[in-house]
Amino acid sequence: VQKPANPWEFYINTCLDDRLQPAVRHLFSSIRSAHLFHNGSVMLGELHNYGTLLNAVNIYRTLSDKVMPQPLILYFTVCILHMVEQLHSVHVIHADIKPDNFMLGERFLENKCFDSDSVDHGLVLIDLGQSIDMQLFPEGTAFTARCLTSGFQCTEMLSGKPWTYQVMRMEEPFYLQIGWMDADSITRCRKSLRNPHSDLWLEFFDTLLNVPDCGSLPSLRSLRCRLTSVLQQNYSSKLATMKSRLVIKLLENHRAARR
């Protein structure tokens, strides 16, 4: 239920129906019907019962370690990069990617395949109402508008540069903070990263935050392959167990919410 009505979200969903391969369509919300009124809209879609990726992150914040295990962080990042690749390949910019827009459903609980190209991981990206259909614009179009919500502006918006597919950034407590290093607007993480792969993550964020221009976008596939390599070399024997523990926590939370 949306107030005011947002027919654009229904339009973007129909674009994905037309453009995406059927094998990957389930990676994104699918609206089966839309009922539009002058003061609101009702859209019918698939139910995803086990919360959001943000809920999963918050589960670990209540435990002794306070953070999600590194293998799961790498795994979720690989999955997200693959999903964004799919969207960009059909000329759609989501424009509101954040942990609470990734839903977990039955497929996530059942999946036991951790291949980087697998589309059965169970994450579903929702909330397409802010998306941009690049097919409606001439080739080479870039934007200069700025998002008015604090913390949801990409570095190009902050520095007044044109943007298209650049990744959005987000602020505390769960998101990334950046800092300006010199007159060339080179950005780096404001907080030091303390984990076994800090150099990898710093390189990852620097690549996404320091896109030279709209004609020199980084390869998400290359980044995904780099993270996948680290995941397989270091955690291939641990990932299934850690995911199973997360599934148990999600099921416990789901049962508690229904009482």
Side-chain angles (χ1 to χ4, degrees), residues 39-53:
N39 63 342
S41 56
V42 178
M43 299 192 187
L44 178 65
E46 184 180 358
L47 178 65
H48 306 287
N49 272 323
Y50 299 98
T52 69
L53 188 55

Side-chain angles (χ1 to χ4, degrees), residues 90-105:
V90 296
H91 311 291
V92 171
I93 302 172
H94 186 281
D96 194 19
I97 289 178
K98 55 187 178 182
D100 35 334
N101 277 341
F102 288 93
M103 300 296 297
L104 304 173

Side-chain angles (χ1 to χ4, degrees), residues 74 77-82 84-85 116 167 199-211 217-231:
L74 285 163
T77 305
V78 167
C79 295
I80 290 170
L81 286 172
H82 196 190
V84 176
E85 284 178 62
S116 64
V167 174
D199 289 343
L200 172 70
W201 287 114
L202 284 171
E203 179 185 343
F204 176 84
F205 290 124
D206 275 348
T207 299
L208 292 179
L209 291 170
N210 294 295
V211 179
L217 297 173
S219 168
L220 298 186
R221 179 175 178 79
S222 295
L223 289 171
R224 178 164 60 91
C225 290
R226 178 81 187 279
L227 295 176
T228 299
S229 177
V230 172
L231 181 62

